[in-house]
Amino acid sequence: MAKNKTIPSQASVTEFLDAITDTTKHKDCYALLDVMQKITGKPPVMWGNSIVGFGSYHYKYDTGREGDMPLTAFSPRKQNITIYIMTGFDAYEDLLQQLGPYKTGKSCLYIKRMADVNINILSEIIKSSYDIMDKKYNS
């Protein structure tokens, strides 16, 4: 069975974020770092080589595959900032209408800039997802 490549590492979150050359994305990632630290009360940890995660949970599929993932996380990508909302988005339709411009994948929320979104709405989505996942897997 293949090993999960997205695992926590000892790499420095600060060094990773400081290497972002796009000034706006650099500033936005530090803002998101602050938001997620306040919401979770957890220190940031590098997962793989490009994901900044907070907290963790252990999953196990019926197939036998298992591993650990962050409860919430973000990653600066070339086109956008990816925010990992591990619960998915079904419960957040009303909030997403108030967020500002975004796109989604299965558990990925893609935004261009923090200035484009309502930070209070984004924080509410992150907190709700984090709390649900933490209660489900870590209680």
Side-chain angles (χ1 to χ4, degrees), residues 6-9 45-56 68-70:
T6 307
I7 58 173
S9 75
V45 172
M46 288 301 302
W47 286 72
N49 58 8
S50 64
I51 297 173
V52 178
F54 299 82
S56 67
D68 297 296
M69 291 297 289

Side-chain angles (χ1 to χ4, degrees), residues 49-114:
N49 58 8
S50 64
I51 297 173
V52 178
F54 299 82
S56 67
Y57 70 98
H58 187 79
Y59 64 87
K60 186 172 184 177
Y61 295 134
D62 292 339
T63 61
R65 182 181 173 121
E66 62 183 296
D68 297 296
M69 291 297 289
L71 289 166
T72 194
F74 72 91
S75 182
R77 305 291 187 191
K78 185 176 181 179
Q79 296 295 327
N80 50 50
I81 297 172
T82 302
I83 302 167
Y84 296 91
I85 306 297
M86 304 310 279
T87 56
F89 299 100
D90 291 344
Y92 306 115
E93 288 182 28
D94 291 343
L95 289 172
L96 288 170
Q97 290 178 12
Q98 304 169 60
L99 180 62
Y102 70 90
K103 292 181 181 178
T104 61
K106 185 174 182 177
S107 62
C108 297
L109 177 67
Y110 305 105
I111 63 170
K112 291 272 187 198
R113 290 173 294 282
M114 291 289 282

